[in-house]
Amino acid sequence: MSILVWIVIAYVLGSVPFGLVIAKTLCNIDPRTDGSRNIGATNIARLCGLKYGIATLVLDISKGLVPVLMASSWIESDLGLSLVVLAAILGHIFSCFMHFKGGKAVATTVGAFLAVSFWGTLLSAAMCLTVVALSGHVSMGSLTLALALPVFMLLTGNAAFVPVALVVMVLLFWRHKENIRRLARGEENPWLKPRV
Ligand code: G3P
């Protein structure tokens, strides 16, 4: 299959808003109007409870991981695979099932990058979790992950994926601009606690 077909598959899969579906069908809440108004695992955990947040996290990671992993057995070029990674992430941010709106794409980023650099992504995720544990803010961990990914791509011998990691870093910072403002004001939502 051509790279273009994999890009389309990754984008459409990335577009599936699992958090929105879980929150609306299983807890009758629209996460777009509640909490941080995000469709990601953090807000779903906040609004619906931890088990729903974990389900969202697993599904959002999977929708990044699966298409890139499948594409990697067809596509040999690192640039081609980088485009598939980006397509899955852009799908989550600009979902074709949500009028091209979407989420912050942290979990989908983890899934997509796991498929191209297992250790680089695992180390970035470990840094993310450490910062979340120390700060109590998932957003701070997510921003750490965004910064760590290009560094760990380089350090784990996956320099070919540094360019896409840099693009994704900019995207993730842009999607977290409200979080960054709240963090600067000391008003960021703690996880599992709804904003009032
Ligand atoms: O992955 C999203 C996380 O970084 C922030 O989520 O709901 O606190 O804006 P939230």
Side-chain angles (χ1 to χ4, degrees):
M1 274 199 280
S2 77
I3 290 175
L4 194 61
V5 173
W6 282 112
I7 287 174
V8 173
I9 290 172
Y11 171 75
V12 173
L13 270 178
S15 286
V16 180
F18 286 115
L20 179 62
V21 173
I22 287 173
K24 286 197 94 169
T25 57
L26 301 180
C27 34
N28 205 21
I29 283 175
D30 189 336
R32 295 168 300 182
T33 54
D34 246 315
S36 67
R37 295 188 285 275
N38 188 36
I39 60 165
T42 307
N43 203 34
I44 305 305
R46 229 182 241 129
L47 299 173
C48 303
L50 190 56
K51 66 177 177 183
Y52 298 105
I54 290 172
T56 304
L57 180 69
V58 170
L59 289 166
D60 280 354
I61 289 175
S62 305
K63 74 181 187 180
L65 176 68
V66 171
V68 181
L69 209 53
M70 287 169 68
S72 65
S73 51
W74 291 75
I75 299 172
E76 281 180 12
S77 97
D78 291 333
L79 176 62
L81 218 46
S82 295
L83 293 175
V84 179
V85 166
L86 194 58
I89 294 164
L90 288 174
H92 186 86
I93 296 175
F94 304 104
S95 168
C96 59
F97 304 117
M98 289 179 61
H99 306 289
F100 301 99
K101 290 186 173 150
K104 297 176 185 172
V106 177
T108 307
T109 293
V110 170
F113 274 90
L114 270 176
V116 294
S117 170
F118 181 78
W119 288 110
T121 309
L122 213 60
L123 289 166
S124 305
M127 279 196 74
C128 165
L129 291 177
T130 305
V131 171
V132 173
L134 292 175
S135 70
H137 297 303
V138 179
S139 57
M140 213 177 257
S142 300
L143 294 168
T144 304
L145 177 106
L147 288 169
L149 266 178
V151 176
F152 281 116
M153 289 302 113
L154 198 63
L155 296 181
T156 56
N158 293 289
F161 296 101
V162 170
V164 69
L166 288 170
V167 172
V168 170
M169 182 183 80
V170 172
L171 279 170
L172 294 190
F173 267 76
W174 168 62
R175 291 302 288 151
H176 282 79
K177 56 184 188 299
E178 292 300 327
N179 301 83
I180 293 168
R181 280 193 201 113
R182 286 197 294 269
L183 283 167
R185 291 197 302 257
E187 294 171 1
E188 176 60 314
N189 307 312
W191 80 300
L192 287 183
K193 194 172 166 200
R195 193 156 68 106
V196 284

mmCIF file of all heavy atoms in Angstrom, residues 36 38 42-43 46 104 106 138-139 142 176 179 182 188-189, ligand 1:
data_model
loop_
_atom_site.group_PDB
_atom_site.id
_atom_site.type_symbol
_atom_site.label_atom_id
_atom_site.label_comp_id
_atom_site.label_asym_id
_atom_site.label_seq_id
_atom_site.Cartn_x
_atom_site.Cartn_y
_atom_site.Cartn_z
ATOM 1 N N SER A 36 -11.919 20.780 31.824
ATOM 2 C CA SER A 36 -10.998 21.573 30.986
ATOM 3 C C SER A 36 -11.521 21.705 29.550
ATOM 4 O O SER A 36 -10.860 22.292 28.712
ATOM 5 C CB SER A 36 -9.626 20.901 30.952
ATOM 6 O OG SER A 36 -9.712 19.667 30.256
ATOM 7 N N ASN A 38 -11.697 19.385 27.391
ATOM 8 C CA ASN A 38 -10.879 18.573 26.483
ATOM 9 C C ASN A 38 -11.460 17.160 26.420
ATOM 10 O O ASN A 38 -12.130 16.707 27.339
ATOM 11 C CB ASN A 38 -9.427 18.530 26.992
ATOM 12 C CG ASN A 38 -8.488 17.875 25.998
ATOM 13 O OD1 ASN A 38 -8.652 18.036 24.778
ATOM 14 N ND2 ASN A 38 -7.511 17.154 26.490
ATOM 15 N N THR A 42 -7.302 12.792 30.649
ATOM 16 C CA THR A 42 -7.265 13.534 31.916
ATOM 17 C C THR A 42 -8.641 14.101 32.250
ATOM 18 O O THR A 42 -9.139 13.956 33.369
ATOM 19 C CB THR A 42 -6.246 14.694 31.830
ATOM 20 O OG1 THR A 42 -5.002 14.179 31.396
ATOM 21 C CG2 THR A 42 -6.071 15.377 33.169
ATOM 22 N N ASN A 43 -9.252 14.729 31.262
ATOM 23 C CA ASN A 43 -10.557 15.340 31.524
ATOM 24 C C ASN A 43 -11.654 14.290 31.697
ATOM 25 O O ASN A 43 -12.582 14.484 32.473
ATOM 26 C CB ASN A 43 -10.915 16.321 30.395
ATOM 27 C CG ASN A 43 -11.909 17.363 30.862
ATOM 28 O OD1 ASN A 43 -11.890 17.786 32.023
ATOM 29 N ND2 ASN A 43 -12.807 17.776 29.975
ATOM 30 N N ARG A 46 -11.299 13.117 35.174
ATOM 31 C CA ARG A 46 -11.823 14.177 36.045
ATOM 32 C C ARG A 46 -13.346 14.136 36.129
ATOM 33 O O ARG A 46 -13.942 14.230 37.185
ATOM 34 C CB ARG A 46 -11.433 15.496 35.392
ATOM 35 C CG ARG A 46 -10.797 16.488 36.300
ATOM 36 C CD ARG A 46 -10.522 17.766 35.512
ATOM 37 N NE ARG A 46 -9.110 18.058 35.488
ATOM 38 C CZ ARG A 46 -8.412 18.313 34.390
ATOM 39 N NH1 ARG A 46 -8.988 18.307 33.195
ATOM 40 N NH2 ARG A 46 -7.145 18.576 34.484
ATOM 41 N N LYS A 104 -5.837 17.290 22.606
ATOM 42 C CA LYS A 104 -4.457 17.770 22.737
ATOM 43 C C LYS A 104 -3.422 16.755 22.253
ATOM 44 O O LYS A 104 -2.239 17.055 22.169
ATOM 45 C CB LYS A 104 -4.197 18.186 24.191
ATOM 46 C CG LYS A 104 -5.103 19.348 24.595
ATOM 47 C CD LYS A 104 -4.992 19.764 26.040
ATOM 48 C CE LYS A 104 -6.046 20.842 26.301
ATOM 49 N NZ LYS A 104 -6.165 21.206 27.727
ATOM 50 N N VAL A 106 -1.874 14.052 23.355
ATOM 51 C CA VAL A 106 -0.703 13.529 24.079
ATOM 52 C C VAL A 106 -0.664 11.994 24.010
ATOM 53 O O VAL A 106 0.358 11.405 23.652
ATOM 54 C CB VAL A 106 -0.700 14.016 25.542
ATOM 55 C CG1 VAL A 106 0.477 13.418 26.305
ATOM 56 C CG2 VAL A 106 -0.637 15.544 25.578
ATOM 57 N N VAL A 138 -1.161 17.119 35.073
ATOM 58 C CA VAL A 138 -0.906 16.292 33.892
ATOM 59 C C VAL A 138 -0.347 17.156 32.759
ATOM 60 O O VAL A 138 0.532 16.734 32.012
ATOM 61 C CB VAL A 138 -2.193 15.558 33.451
ATOM 62 C CG1 VAL A 138 -1.933 14.722 32.207
ATOM 63 C CG2 VAL A 138 -2.694 14.658 34.574
ATOM 64 N N SER A 139 -0.845 18.386 32.658
ATOM 65 C CA SER A 139 -0.389 19.254 31.571
ATOM 66 C C SER A 139 1.116 19.495 31.651
ATOM 67 O O SER A 139 1.795 19.532 30.618
ATOM 68 C CB SER A 139 -1.136 20.584 31.597
ATOM 69 O OG SER A 139 -0.970 21.201 32.855
ATOM 70 N N SER A 142 2.731 16.551 30.278
ATOM 71 C CA SER A 142 2.565 16.490 28.820
ATOM 72 C C SER A 142 3.552 17.405 28.109
ATOM 73 O O SER A 142 4.130 17.045 27.079
ATOM 74 C CB SER A 142 1.140 16.912 28.435
ATOM 75 O OG SER A 142 0.208 16.055 29.036
ATOM 76 N N HIS A 176 -1.686 23.195 24.249
ATOM 77 C CA HIS A 176 -1.702 23.388 25.707
ATOM 78 C C HIS A 176 -1.606 24.868 26.089
ATOM 79 O O HIS A 176 -1.280 25.184 27.232
ATOM 80 C CB HIS A 176 -0.546 22.608 26.360
ATOM 81 C CG HIS A 176 -0.813 21.139 26.496
ATOM 82 N ND1 HIS A 176 -0.683 20.254 25.458
ATOM 83 C CD2 HIS A 176 -1.245 20.392 27.559
ATOM 84 C CE1 HIS A 176 -0.988 19.039 25.874
ATOM 85 N NE2 HIS A 176 -1.337 19.084 27.131
ATOM 86 N N ASN A 179 -3.554 25.718 29.106
ATOM 87 C CA ASN A 179 -2.927 25.109 30.295
ATOM 88 C C ASN A 179 -1.708 25.933 30.724
ATOM 89 O O ASN A 179 -1.509 26.165 31.921
ATOM 90 C CB ASN A 179 -2.469 23.674 30.004
ATOM 91 C CG ASN A 179 -3.606 22.761 29.577
ATOM 92 O OD1 ASN A 179 -3.981 22.750 28.413
ATOM 93 N ND2 ASN A 179 -4.166 22.013 30.513
ATOM 94 N N ARG A 182 -2.822 28.960 32.510
ATOM 95 C CA ARG A 182 -3.290 28.636 33.862
ATOM 96 C C ARG A 182 -2.115 28.281 34.782
ATOM 97 O O ARG A 182 -2.096 28.673 35.949
ATOM 98 C CB ARG A 182 -4.304 27.483 33.829
ATOM 99 C CG ARG A 182 -5.674 27.883 33.286
ATOM 100 C CD ARG A 182 -6.739 26.864 33.640
ATOM 101 N NE ARG A 182 -6.525 25.584 33.007
ATOM 102 C CZ ARG A 182 -7.028 25.229 31.817
ATOM 103 N NH1 ARG A 182 -7.784 26.071 31.152
ATOM 104 N NH2 ARG A 182 -6.786 24.033 31.309
ATOM 105 N N GLU A 188 -3.901 26.197 37.354
ATOM 106 C CA GLU A 188 -4.123 24.987 36.566
ATOM 107 C C GLU A 188 -4.929 23.957 37.356
ATOM 108 O O GLU A 188 -4.791 23.847 38.579
ATOM 109 C CB GLU A 188 -2.776 24.390 36.123
ATOM 110 C CG GLU A 188 -2.838 23.075 35.372
ATOM 111 C CD GLU A 188 -3.639 23.119 34.062
ATOM 112 O OE1 GLU A 188 -4.758 23.671 34.058
ATOM 113 O OE2 GLU A 188 -3.145 22.582 33.058
ATOM 114 N N ASN A 189 -5.780 23.220 36.640
ATOM 115 C CA ASN A 189 -6.598 22.181 37.278
ATOM 116 C C ASN A 189 -5.714 21.051 37.774
ATOM 117 O O ASN A 189 -4.920 20.521 37.013
ATOM 118 C CB ASN A 189 -7.557 21.548 36.259
ATOM 119 C CG ASN A 189 -8.374 22.578 35.546
ATOM 120 O OD1 ASN A 189 -8.935 23.459 36.163
ATOM 121 N ND2 ASN A 189 -8.431 22.473 34.226
HETATM 122 O O1 G3P B 1 -3.209 15.424 27.788
HETATM 123 C C1 G3P B 1 -3.935 16.517 28.188
HETATM 124 C C2 G3P B 1 -3.313 17.061 29.440
HETATM 125 O O2 G3P B 1 -1.998 17.455 29.173
HETATM 126 C C3 G3P B 1 -4.051 18.217 30.011
HETATM 127 O O3 G3P B 1 -5.399 17.887 30.133
HETATM 128 O O4 G3P B 1 -7.734 18.235 30.743
HETATM 129 O O5 G3P B 1 -5.929 19.139 32.222
HETATM 130 O O6 G3P B 1 -6.338 20.189 29.984
HETATM 131 P P1 G3P B 1 -6.404 18.915 30.804
#
